[in-house]
Amino acid sequence: MPSDIEIARAATLKPIAQVAERVGIPDEALHNYGKYIAKIDHGFIQSLESRPDGKLILVTAISPTPAGEGKTTTTVGLGDALNRIGKKAVIALREPSLGPCFGMKGGAAGGGRSQVVPMEQINLHFTGDFHAITSAHSLAAALIDNHVYWANELNIDVRRIHWRRVVDMNDRALRAINQSLGGVANGFPREDGFDITVASEVMAVFCLARDLADLEERLGKIVIAETRDRKLVTLKDVKATGAMTVLLKDALQPNLVQTLEGNPALIHGGPFANIAHGCNSVIATRSALKLGEYTVTEAGFGADLGAEKFLDIKCRQAGLKPSAVVIVATVRALKMHGGVDKKSLGSENVEALEKGFANLERHVTNVRNFGLPVVVGVNHFYADTDAEHAKLKELCQSRLGVEAITCKHWAEGGAGAEGLAQAVVKLAEGEQKPLVHAYETEAKLSDKIRAIATKLYGAGDVQIESKAAGKLATFEKDGYGSLPICMAKTQYSFSTDPSLMGAPTGHVIAVRDVRLSAGAGFVVAICGEIMTMPGLPKVPAADTIRLDANGQIDGLF
Amino acid sequence: MPSDIEIARAATLKPIAQVAERVGIPDEALHNYGKYIAKIDHGFIQSLESRPDGKLILVTAISPTPAGEGKTTTTVGLGDALNRIGKKAVIALREPSLGPCFGMKGGAAGGGRSQVVPMEQINLHFTGDFHAITSAHSLAAALIDNHVYWANELNIDVRRIHWRRVVDMNDRALRAINQSLGGVANGFPREDGFDITVASEVMAVFCLARDLADLEERLGKIVIAETRDRKLVTLKDVKATGAMTVLLKDALQPNLVQTLEGNPALIHGGPFANIAHGCNSVIATRSALKLGEYTVTEAGFGADLGAEKFLDIKCRQAGLKPSAVVIVATVRALKMHGGVDKKSLGSENVEALEKGFANLERHVTNVRNFGLPVVVGVNHFYADTDAEHAKLKELCQSRLGVEAITCKHWAEGGAGAEGLAQAVVKLAEGEQKPLVHAYETEAKLSDKIRAIATKLYGAGDVQIESKAAGKLATFEKDGYGSLPICMAKTQYSFSTDPSLMGAPTGHVIAVRDVRLSAGAGFVVAICGEIMTMPGLPKVPAADTIRLDANGQIDGLF
């Protein structure tokens, strides 16, 4: 099998207008970025409003392991397969972040024969959306310090400016800085630091906004500092929102690309999946629903984090409901959840698979508790044995009464996921129950955290540290009590201990800190150390990335 | 007369392919960014190599004053006028920087009826070139600190890292920072700071590179630090250049847009005009020369800085020579050089004009000393009187023997600059002398500085501070002695005192510091305070920039 990049380069791409035409997007609604990428005009997006929605399919996964699951690959493969079986399907995915490309080798546009293309552009600057978000965030930062510099009429307490700065690069040296040094002309010295752009609240707002007006309103609600008398200061107070919206205007138009099989994919937005909700933009998802009979989308991390946030934050805010959920699992990963180490994954081990099945089982149960129909997509790897696949199917059927479908889209493209597509259509066109959220918005903030931890994570208890508890009380007093919760914890375990695989029970979820994301519209509960600025490894991918003699990019994938 | 933005919005733009076709660029060589902007493919640019060059026209100006000169407007108007009189002319301009848009109101894409469009995109993200440069610069910064963090095999002295960071925003708070704070995981604490992106050496390299290979080689030569034993460390040493070139690959393709009259304009690159050379990219200029009979381009600031650097740095490195030079002057600005204050510019004052003429006279003489034919373009303002224009023409003729042509392109478009176009063609198609540089590259670095100061600035003496003199000696010892000089001084005066207008003589040019830009290929001589990170004003333009009810940008221009 050739490499991802070889497959992507060998593909014959359709002109993007032809991809657009298939889902009824006229030429004049496209803003081209080269021949194979286009943004879809705001005006056309608005004109879709009155159309009925197609069916929404969420692709989520078991708790990730180093063995790999293939959530994006399954999303692409399923989209292609739905098109193959005669359904007009559109894929909606997150945009990859630029910075991490230069750390560990690898892109984020699917793999094998289930990719979105052109993968090099998608993985690098793409249409500049993240650059626009970086600019808007940076402008806000400059305006805040500029306000303090000149007269500080808002009486901002420079010790309590919560708005950090961002750059789309893995740069640990900027995590903690002292700024405004060097004398009077440079402002009032204070502590600050940089996050990577995907961790910006502007990114979360961008991905939850319904349109430009909603974007501007949400930006205005972002709390960026406190005054000396502890009043909250917003981006609206520092008059940043108009100019930020101007900077984000073009970026907010969703990006249309294609799969290797020429089917439409909207790739738009990409918030962190820990301190934010980790899904592509609401605008892209809603547009896809208007354009296709089926929309296939994914949520970050495992279903405990990704699907929960997708359902309790994104669906709630945007009025969406999936018609079916695919939980991606692999034999390899379940064996790791069953205690096998990475080196031994090549050998058949039905017993470990059965032990690790507990992880899948809990994710399936959790998603069903939302009232949603579930199918398990088993992403096939070469070393898997028939006995293992048979066992997994049998366990799914006997213990959960769900179908598990082996998928070979990585090797075969959409043809390898037709079985999954058939199963998805059966569920989506079958009986639908109402969406049952993990908690009601009227509950106390701490009770919402407790609900997620006990119902979804299997936790025995939640311990909210006193500082965090105090902040929750303040949020409620300040009128933010009805916001949903965004859990920031390790994706590797249902617990807060990344080494606790499988399906632990009775553990304690310790909430170390909480943060208000008033523009995005959620309260972040931080459990454990959350890294918002990655570093580069000792031998970064950047060392060997270069243009080869033919002007092709070498070393990036 | 309607405002710039009203004129720009009322214009009917041609599809960019039609603009391209006029100068023989085929559709398949275009990478569209929306309907009215395209990048021209590297492959097509290379295919032009064997074609003969058209004639190069440089537009420069007298020393700038608050009264305004209109260099960009004249460049655009002259390009349109050349097309009107039957010459196939292409315009080559710098890209505007994003950050300053949010400080003082105003764009940088010409004005009145001599503009390049679409002005909103050009002034905001455009095709993302500056974002790509920011990313490449940021990656280099991250790689340097990452190298030190892991093992520091190069033995980099963290006190002597010269590579600062950049952001395309006016943000004074970042001018001086302490970074890598917060403990072991964040690296070795050190002093650092941010410049605005246009001040990055990556920008200067981008604008002087002939192609991708030259770009990578130049990036590799950039000196970013010294070791504990004072050896120079380059970007090549930290293995940054391959990945940086990948980030800059698409950006290096010149951007094609159009004037209000539908003529082709290449807008590409935009280095600082003080610590760098201040002209659009060599690739854009050379491409324009291959595509048109005439290429009209401009250089930053007045002719003492802009034209001198254009001729001694850019032309020298790229093997270019202008066939004629337009020096832009205004009656208003010359009256200011003659002592009139800004409030009194509305009244006729022939005497002050004659006094201020000394400034124009020196610029004309300087450019002629390069062996180049000169014409003065007098940019007409409403309050100017006939007597003032007559006097200016007479002075140019009697004292200098050059023609001065009144231009009304701002009010009338290309039709208003046809007289200037005719004069330019006469000069460009007349007798040509060899280009005589202000100094030979073999001279000592200090003698080159002296040559510029005494020959062009009218200085009586040059004083190089001892620290700077020591660095010059080190540069020569390290093999950089043959580089040209890039003067960084105020643009408002031939001296280093911005209040000294007209044509001062006998003043002393004090060189406070020098910097090596080994990738760009020049030594910067810093005379006075040079600001590489602007701040925002008390009431920044950002306060009132917003989208109006029709989704149009309000407050930006």
Side-chain angles (χ1 to χ4, degrees), chain A residues 274-275 305 309 449-450 452-453 457 459 461-465 468 485-491 493-498 507-515 523-531:
Chain A
N274 49 37
I275 58 149
L305 288 162
K309 294 179 189 187
I449 296 171
R450 195 168 302 276
I452 296 167
Y457 302 168
D461 196 12
V462 172
Q463 282 174 4
I464 300 175
E465 287 186 23
I485 299 293
C486 179
M487 297 295 285
K489 75 155 180 61
T490 175
Q491 70 264 39
S493 172
F494 281 109
S495 75
T496 53
D497 172 0
H507 49 278
V508 175
I509 298 289
V511 179
R512 192 173 55 78
D513 195 8
V514 292
R515 283 191 210 164
V523 169
V524 184
I526 297 172
C527 316
E529 291 299 323
I530 296 297
M531 174 59 69

Side-chain angles (χ1 to χ4, degrees), chain B residues 476-543:
Chain B
E476 284 169 349
K477 184 175 68 59
D478 287 337
Y480 299 106
S482 64
L483 293 181
I485 298 295
C486 180
M487 297 296 285
K489 76 157 180 60
T490 175
Q491 70 265 39
Y492 298 113
S493 172
F494 280 110
S495 75
T496 54
D497 173 1
S499 66
L500 216 55
M501 300 180 82
T505 53
H507 51 276
V508 175
I509 298 289
V511 178
R512 191 172 56 80
D513 195 8
V514 292
R515 283 191 210 164
L516 176 62
S517 289
F522 50 69
V523 169
V524 184
I526 296 172
C527 315
E529 291 300 322
I530 296 297
M531 174 59 68
T532 51
M533 172 53 93
L536 292 169
K538 182 163 186 190
V539 182
D543 281 8

Side-chain angles (χ1 to χ4, degrees), chain B residues 23-50:
Chain B
V23 284
I25 308 171
D27 222 24
E28 58 269 24
L30 297 179
H31 301 273
N32 291 302
Y33 285 69
K35 293 178 177 48
Y36 307 111
I37 300 170
K39 283 193 166 280
I40 307 174
D41 191 72
H42 282 306
F44 178 74
I45 299 283
Q46 274 167 26
S47 76
L48 300 173
E49 198 62 40
S50 60

Side-chain angles (χ1 to χ4, degrees), chain B residues 119-131:
Chain B
M119 72 176 286
E120 284 148 309
Q121 283 95 321
I122 293 170
N123 275 294
L124 292 173
H125 305 293
F126 201 23
T127 56
D129 293 345
F130 287 16
H131 292 316

Side-chain angles (χ1 to χ4, degrees), chain A residues 27-28 30-35 98 102 121 124-125 131-132 135 138-139 141-143 145-146 149-151 153 165 167 169-182 185-187 194 212 216 238-239 242-243 245-247 249-250 536-538 540 542-543 545-547 551 553, chain B residues 27-28 30-35 98 102 121 124-125 131-132 135 138-139 141-143 145-146 149-151 153 165 167 169-182 185-187 194 212 216 238-239 242-243 245-247 249-250 536-538 540 542-543 545-547 551 553:
Chain A
D27 221 24
E28 58 270 24
L30 298 179
H31 301 274
N32 290 301
Y33 284 70
K35 294 176 177 47
L98 182 66
F102 301 102
Q121 282 96 320
L124 291 172
H125 305 292
H131 291 316
S135 286
S138 303
L139 174 62
L143 287 170
D145 281 304
N146 194 56
Y149 177 82
W150 284 106
E153 282 132 352
R165 284 171 162 83
V167 61
M169 197 53 66
N170 290 19
D171 193 350
R172 68 170 68 75
L174 293 176
R175 283 175 189 152
I177 67 169
N178 287 337
Q179 65 164 49
S180 304
L181 307 178
N186 298 349
F194 283 69
L212 281 164
E216 183 163 1
V238 294
K239 298 182 186 156
T245 304
V246 165
L247 280 169
K249 176 172 90 89
D250 292 341
L536 291 169
K538 182 163 186 192
D543 281 8
I545 293 172
R546 60 181 194 89
L547 292 181
I553 298 169
Chain B
D27 222 24
E28 58 269 24
L30 297 179
H31 301 273
N32 291 302
Y33 285 69
K35 293 178 177 48
L98 182 66
F102 301 103
Q121 283 95 321
L124 292 173
H125 305 293
H131 292 316
S135 286
S138 303
L139 174 61
L143 287 170
D145 281 305
N146 193 57
Y149 177 83
W150 285 105
E153 282 133 353
R165 284 171 162 82
V167 62
M169 196 54 66
N170 290 18
D171 193 350
R172 69 169 67 75
L174 293 176
R175 283 176 190 151
I177 68 168
N178 287 338
Q179 65 163 50
S180 304
L181 307 178
N186 298 350
F194 282 69
L212 281 164
E216 183 164 2
V238 292
K239 298 181 186 158
T245 305
V246 165
L247 280 169
K249 176 172 91 88
D250 293 341
L536 292 169
K538 182 163 186 190
D543 281 8
I545 293 172
R546 59 180 195 89
L547 292 181
I553 298 169

Side-chain angles (χ1 to χ4, degrees), chain A residues 425-499:
Chain A
V425 168
K426 202 172 70 186
L427 291 179
E429 296 183 356
E431 193 203 346
Q432 293 285 318
K433 287 187 270 182
L435 180 56
V436 182
H437 290 289
Y439 52 83
E440 294 305 312
T441 51
E442 294 74 33
K444 280 178 60 99
L445 291 169
S446 57
D447 288 341
K448 297 179 200 176
I449 296 171
R450 195 168 302 276
I452 296 167
T454 53
K455 287 193 210 169
L456 280 94
Y457 302 168
D461 196 12
V462 172
Q463 282 174 4
I464 300 175
E465 287 186 23
S466 60
K467 184 181 96 175
K471 283 169 83 174
L472 287 179
T474 309
F475 296 163
E476 283 168 349
K477 184 176 67 60
D478 288 337
Y480 299 105
S482 64
L483 293 182
I485 299 293
C486 179
M487 297 295 285
K489 75 155 180 61
T490 175
Q491 70 264 39
Y492 299 111
S493 172
F494 281 109
S495 75
T496 53
D497 172 0
S499 67

Side-chain angles (χ1 to χ4, degrees), chain A residues 216-468:
Chain A
E216 183 163 1
E217 197 180 322
R218 284 170 178 269
L219 289 173
K221 288 181 185 163
I222 295 177
V223 173
I224 44 103
E226 292 167 54
T227 64
R228 285 299 291 267
D229 46 359
R230 304 300 292 272
K231 294 213 179 72
L232 301 182
V233 182
T234 66
L235 277 183
K236 189 167 186 186
D237 295 330
V238 294
K239 298 182 186 156
T241 60
M244 290 173 77
T245 304
V246 165
L247 280 169
L248 295 168
K249 176 172 90 89
D250 292 341
L252 199 66
Q253 300 176 135
N255 306 299
L256 177 68
V257 293
Q258 63 192 288
T259 67
L260 285 175
E261 302 187 6
N263 294 309
L266 296 180
I267 305 201
H268 197 223
F272 250 31
N274 49 37
I275 58 149
H277 61 293
C279 329
N280 65 261
S281 76
V282 162
I283 291 184
T285 304
R286 295 187 78 238
S287 302
L289 286 168
K290 302 294 183 187
L291 293 168
E293 296 169 292
Y294 277 79
T295 293
V296 187
T297 192
E298 65 164 344
F301 296 161
D304 53 332
L305 288 162
E308 189 274 315
K309 294 179 189 187
F310 182 85
L311 297 165
D312 285 328
I313 297 175
K314 177 170 171 169
C315 287
R316 202 167 222 155
Q317 291 196 11
L320 303 172
K321 176 182 172 293
S323 298
V325 177
V326 176
I327 300 183
V328 179
T330 61
V331 164
R332 294 158 54 86
L334 290 175
K335 287 194 289 190
M336 282 197 88
H337 277 293
V340 175
D341 67 18
K342 203 181 167 186
K343 288 189 298 291
S344 314
L345 290 172
S347 319
E348 182 177 280
N349 191 334
V350 176
E351 195 184 350
L353 174 72
E354 185 160 2
K355 190 157 168 246
F357 180 77
N359 186 270
L360 173 61
E361 186 168 19
R362 182 171 303 159
H363 286 296
V364 170
T365 307
N366 284 345
V367 173
R368 282 181 154 179
N369 287 340
F370 281 93
L372 299 171
V374 173
V375 58
V376 174
V378 186
N379 190 12
H380 184 269
F381 276 67
Y382 282 134
D384 297 354
T385 69
D386 290 346
E388 289 171 329
H389 277 265
K391 184 66 182 177
L392 181 49
K393 270 172 224 226
E394 187 265 306
L395 288 169
C396 283
Q397 200 59 61
S398 63
R399 298 221 201 143
L400 300 165
V402 301
E403 230 183 326
I405 316 273
T406 298
C407 303
K408 298 190 169 179
H409 48 270
W410 185 83
E412 299 171 8
E418 283 187 26
L420 180 63
Q422 301 284 9
V424 160
V425 168
K426 202 172 70 186
L427 291 179
E429 296 183 356
E431 193 203 346
Q432 293 285 318
K433 287 187 270 182
L435 180 56
V436 182
H437 290 289
Y439 52 83
E440 294 305 312
T441 51
E442 294 74 33
K444 280 178 60 99
L445 291 169
S446 57
D447 288 341
K448 297 179 200 176
I449 296 171
R450 195 168 302 276
I452 296 167
T454 53
K455 287 193 210 169
L456 280 94
Y457 302 168
D461 196 12
V462 172
Q463 282 174 4
I464 300 175
E465 287 186 23
S466 60
K467 184 181 96 175

